Amino acid sequence: MADDDVYAACCPCRDMLDLLANKWSALALGALEDGPRRFGALRARLQGVSPKVLTATLRRLEEHGLVTREVFAEVPPRVEYALTPLGRDANGPLAQLRAWVEDNIGRFPANRVA
């Protein structure tokens, strides 16, 4: 059945796979694993991400139910992002992938030291 076959062109799974395979999505989910964070704290943790890309990434993660965005009625307003239960579930395999890459980075031809 094409509805649950990620290899089928019409499978809705592909949008989620595209989102989770994105480096900034995978890193943002990892940065939230220890609890809610504000935008500035996420940007500082994700070195090299632009505010525009981080905003777009967080919006997509929120639209797909992986992250929540909570606005606090304070002056100035405070906004925090946190993982949803679905986001925590997705973060498990992504954490393993991040760890595998860190452990094996020297094995990739482009990163070998001569």
Side-chain angles (χ1 to χ4, degrees), residues 17 20 32-33 63 67 87-88 96 104 106 112:
L17 184 61
L20 294 174
L32 291 168
E33 68 187 350
E63 288 168 6
V67 167
R88 281 191 292 279
Q96 292 175 345
N104 291 281
R112 287 192 184 139

Coordinates of all heavy atoms in Angstrom, one line a residue, residues 17 20 32-33 63 67 87-88 96 104 106 112:
L17 N 10.0 12.6 6.1 CA 11.4 12.2 5.9 C 12.3 13.4 5.5 O 13.4 13.6 6.0 CB 11.5 11.1 4.9 CG 12.8 10.5 4.7 CD1 13.4 9.9 6.0 CD2 12.8 9.4 3.6
L20 N 12.9 15.6 8.6 CA 13.8 15.0 9.6 C 15.2 14.8 9.1 O 16.2 14.8 9.8 CB 13.3 13.7 10.1 CG 12.0 13.8 10.9 CD1 11.4 12.4 11.2 CD2 12.2 14.6 12.2
L32 N 16.8 20.7 21.8 CA 15.7 20.8 22.6 C 15.5 19.6 23.6 O 14.6 19.6 24.4 CB 14.4 21.0 21.8 CG 14.3 22.4 21.1 CD1 13.1 22.4 20.1 CD2 14.1 23.5 22.2
E33 N 16.4 18.6 23.4 CA 16.2 17.4 24.2 C 16.3 17.6 25.7 O 15.7 16.8 26.4 CB 17.1 16.3 23.7 CG 18.6 16.5 24.0 CD 19.4 15.4 23.3 OE1 18.9 14.4 22.8 OE2 20.7 15.6 23.3
E63 N 4.6 23.0 12.6 CA 3.5 22.6 11.7 C 3.4 21.0 11.7 O 2.3 20.5 11.5 CB 3.8 23.1 10.3 CG 3.6 24.6 10.2 CD 4.2 25.1 8.8 OE1 4.6 24.3 8.0 OE2 4.2 26.3 8.7
V67 N 7.4 20.2 17.6 CA 7.8 21.2 18.5 C 6.6 22.1 18.8 O 5.7 22.3 18.0 CB 8.9 22.1 17.8 CG1 9.2 23.4 18.6 CG2 10.2 21.3 17.7
G87 N 8.0 14.7 18.9 CA 9.3 15.2 18.7 C 10.3 14.5 19.5 O 11.5 14.2 19.1
R88 N 10.0 14.1 20.8 CA 10.9 13.3 21.6 C 11.1 11.9 20.9 O 12.2 11.4 20.9 CB 10.3 13.1 23.0 CG 10.6 14.3 23.9 CD 10.3 14.1 25.3 NE 8.8 13.9 25.6 CZ 7.9 14.9 25.7 NH1 8.3 16.1 25.6 NH2 6.7 14.6 26.0
Q96 N 20.9 9.0 17.9 CA 21.8 7.9 17.5 C 22.6 8.3 16.2 O 23.8 8.0 16.1 CB 21.0 6.6 17.3 CG 20.5 6.1 18.6 CD 19.6 4.8 18.3 OE1 19.2 4.5 17.2 NE2 19.3 4.1 19.4
N104 N 32.3 8.6 14.0 CA 32.9 8.1 12.7 C 33.3 9.1 11.7 O 33.7 8.8 10.6 CB 31.8 7.2 12.0 CG 31.6 5.9 12.8 OD1 32.4 5.0 12.8 ND2 30.5 5.9 13.6
G106 N 36.0 10.7 11.3 CA 37.3 10.5 10.7 C 37.4 9.4 9.7 O 38.4 9.2 8.9
R112 N 39.5 12.6 6.5 CA 40.6 11.8 6.9 C 41.8 12.7 7.1 O 42.1 13.6 6.2 CB 40.9 10.7 6.0 CG 39.9 9.6 6.0 CD 40.4 8.4 5.3 NE 39.4 7.4 5.3 CZ 39.1 6.6 4.3 NH1 39.7 6.7 3.1 NH2 38.1 5.7 4.4

